[in-house]
Amino acid sequence: MVHALEAIELTKKYDTATALDRLTLSIQPGEIFCLLGQNGAGKTTTINLFLGFTQASSGKAFIKGMEVLPGASDTKKFVAYIPEVVQLYGSLNGIENLDFFSRLAGFKYTDTMLKGFLNKAGLQEEAHSKRLSTYSKGMRQKVGIAIALAKNADVILMDEPTSGLDPKATAEFTAICKELAAEGKAIFMATHDLFNAVNVGTRIGIMKQGNLVHTLFTKDITANELQDLYLETI
């Protein structure tokens, strides 16, 4: 079986500090894995290693069975990344931003197709032609999702995607993630939002000081139980 994402003894050290310590983990197509932990626990380091932004000190990372190597050119075509703050061009509108980033990934779409991606990502049609400088954070996140859709990425990595979103925007974002997972996309989400993790995730991991301390299925735990376990762990 080829995993969507896999880490084997994945380790990252900075001088004498260990940011990630022998992480072994696999994530399947159609799964939403939510990784919890305090700042500095190793969540973003894990994402950066899968993206090839930084090189592992030891161990290996795989995307769809292909090893992530420095530069990660071969594996990048399978991956989309949605950071906490989606970097878009404020002077361009939603369609223009989507067109630009799609072309960067090697895809050329008609305006109708671009609008279709934005609609599927939940961005209201009247916003498509407005400049990104007028968008809320939730609207920018939807453009980020549209870029992932246009890229036809099988794996979507997210770093604190619901940070700063109001409850309505968080609920919309959660619904879109579930739709993508139902289509077979694998989602790896680093987050501080325990309650949304229970709501959106298939599985949850809790990290502490670079170690994956707990891994559990969301069907087996309530939000309150997860909060108690998280507080005991950190």
Side-chain angles (χ1 to χ4, degrees), residues 137-154:
K137 180 178 178 183
M139 294 166 72
R140 295 172 72 90
Q141 294 288 57
K142 289 174 183 177
V143 177
I145 291 174
I147 292 169
L149 293 172
K151 193 177 177 182
N152 195 28
D154 293 321

Side-chain angles (χ1 to χ4, degrees), residues 62-141:
F62 297 89
I63 295 173
K64 294 190 67 175
M66 296 179 64
E67 185 177 356
V68 179
L69 299 171
S73 57
D74 290 335
T75 51
K76 276 182 179 175
K77 61 186 177 184
F78 300 121
V79 180
Y81 173 47
I82 301 178
E84 182 174 356
V85 179
V86 179
Q87 299 297 324
L88 301 166
Y89 290 98
S91 61
L92 302 181
N93 64 33
I95 294 173
E96 291 167 339
N97 267 281
L98 180 56
D99 182 47
F100 175 77
F101 286 102
S102 297
R103 287 173 185 268
L104 275 185
F107 297 92
K108 185 178 179 181
Y109 296 108
T110 64
D111 276 3
T112 300
M113 295 170 76
L114 293 169
K115 289 176 182 178
F117 290 127
L118 291 169
N119 284 331
K120 187 172 181 179
L123 187 69
Q124 303 91 329
E125 201 149 336
E126 58 269 22
H128 292 186
S129 57
K130 292 182 179 179
R131 289 188 177 187
L132 263 289
S133 57
T134 68
Y135 280 27
S136 67
K137 180 178 178 183
M139 294 166 72
R140 295 172 72 90
Q141 294 288 57

